[in-house]
Amino acid sequence: MMRIWSQSSPYRRIFRRSNLGWVLSLMILCSGSSSLLSLYGFFNRNNLSMSRIDFFKRIIGWSLGFILLIGVFAPTAEAGRYVLNQTPQTIKSYFGAPAKQILTAKGITYVYSPAGFRRLFPDNSQSVFKVNFVKNRVQNIILETDFSKKLTNFMDDIKINFSRFYNYIFGYKPSVWKQLSSKFSGNETIYDYEYCLGDGVATQFSMGGADQNVLGGEATFYYDTHCEPPY
């Protein structure tokens, strides 16, 4: 049974991490402002010269300095976006209206093929991706394109293309490419593969034929607890 990403998954950590720099900035800003206020009181108590204008100039200068410093040294913010387990309305806000909607036994499927997406696979203008909804929530995403263009190491080509697609869908690059499983599927020329791309996202695809291409040009992306960090 396919598992569905929940609000408690690592995707929530992506958004927390993206705000870390601002949180640290505010903490240091408050600490710096408090120190400057104490310094201002010290000057007043000792009748030393420091005008209010100079005082507030220094507060602003310290504040901007702290914020810039945190921006440089804080962990890189990953913007990201929620996709799995989201509603049709949320998916439309990301990718616009689908080119086609297909009713299924379990729900509905949105079919997309925008120009920006097709540029990821310039050798196949017919590329599409499908968003499958069950009970009004995204259960998985299916990439359909032509993987017949074979390189010396075909799996490297798969990794590059899947990473591009992941970045297009989720808004940031995958953090890992780790094999979960590889097995025969009733035919010695057909292999089923599962790979982790990080933050709870896995992909499944089959390879077969004389050239060992991706069968049907399809790969499914879904949530799997085995792909949650640490890897």
Side-chain angles (χ1 to χ4, degrees):
M1 180 177 178
M2 189 72 71
R3 283 166 291 189
I4 302 176
W5 168 77
S6 67
Q7 292 292 342
S8 61
S9 86
Y11 281 106
R12 199 169 268 280
R13 288 201 289 274
I14 292 169
F15 284 80
R16 289 199 193 106
R17 188 162 64 247
S18 68
N19 291 324
L20 179 59
W22 287 108
V23 172
L24 291 175
S25 296
L26 288 173
M27 289 174 63
I28 295 178
L29 174 58
C30 291
S31 176
S33 298
S34 176
S35 298
L36 285 172
L37 285 170
S38 298
L39 181 63
Y40 182 64
F42 171 79
F43 272 79
N44 279 343
R45 286 193 304 271
N46 291 276
N47 296 318
L48 298 176
S49 176
M50 177 188 261
S51 69
R52 289 191 177 184
I53 294 178
D54 288 339
F55 169 70
F56 285 111
K57 281 182 179 179
R58 294 192 184 193
I59 280 189
I60 293 171
W62 275 88
S63 302
L64 292 176
F66 279 130
I67 291 173
L68 290 174
L69 188 63
I70 289 299
V72 171
F73 291 103
T76 302
E78 296 178 3
R81 56 177 164 236
Y82 297 98
V83 177
L84 296 172
N85 201 41
Q86 298 306 295
T87 64
Q89 292 76 19
T90 299
I91 298 305
K92 286 180 180 178
S93 72
Y94 295 154
F95 307 112
K100 187 187 301 183
Q101 297 185 36
I102 303 172
L103 292 176
T104 66
K106 294 183 178 180
I108 190 169
T109 297
Y110 282 5
V111 181
Y112 284 96
S113 186
F117 161 74
R118 291 197 303 271
R119 284 195 289 271
L120 299 178
F121 310 101
D123 295 327
N124 183 13
S125 60
Q126 302 302 313
S127 298
V128 301
F129 69 91
K130 299 176 179 179
V131 183
N132 290 318
F133 296 90
V134 174
K135 294 183 179 179
N136 216 38
R137 296 284 178 173
V138 177
Q139 185 174 43
N140 58 53
I141 304 157
I142 297 177
L143 167 64
E144 290 187 7
T145 190
D146 182 10
F147 291 99
S148 61
K149 183 181 179 181
K150 189 172 182 180
L151 299 179
T152 304
N153 190 334
F154 188 63
M155 196 57 74
D156 284 346
D157 193 29
I158 292 290
K159 178 182 177 181
I160 291 170
N161 285 322
F162 284 14
S163 294
R164 290 173 179 168
F165 180 67
Y166 182 103
N167 186 48
Y168 179 85
I169 295 296
F170 297 103
Y172 68 103
K173 295 179 181 180
S175 54
V176 69
W177 176 256
K178 179 181 178 181
Q179 183 173 305
L180 282 178
S181 67
S182 172
K183 59 185 178 182
F184 293 119
S185 59
N187 185 316
E188 290 188 359
T189 65
I190 299 177
Y191 290 84
D192 291 333
Y193 292 96
E194 285 183 295
Y195 276 82
C196 281
L197 290 97
D199 287 320
V201 179
T203 183
Q204 186 278 328
F205 57 95
S206 298
M207 295 178 65
D211 292 332
Q212 283 295 294
N213 291 325
V214 175
L215 295 180
E218 288 191 359
T220 304
F221 295 77
Y222 54 94
Y223 173 69
D224 191 315
T225 56
H226 294 99
C227 296
E228 295 180 354
Y231 306 120

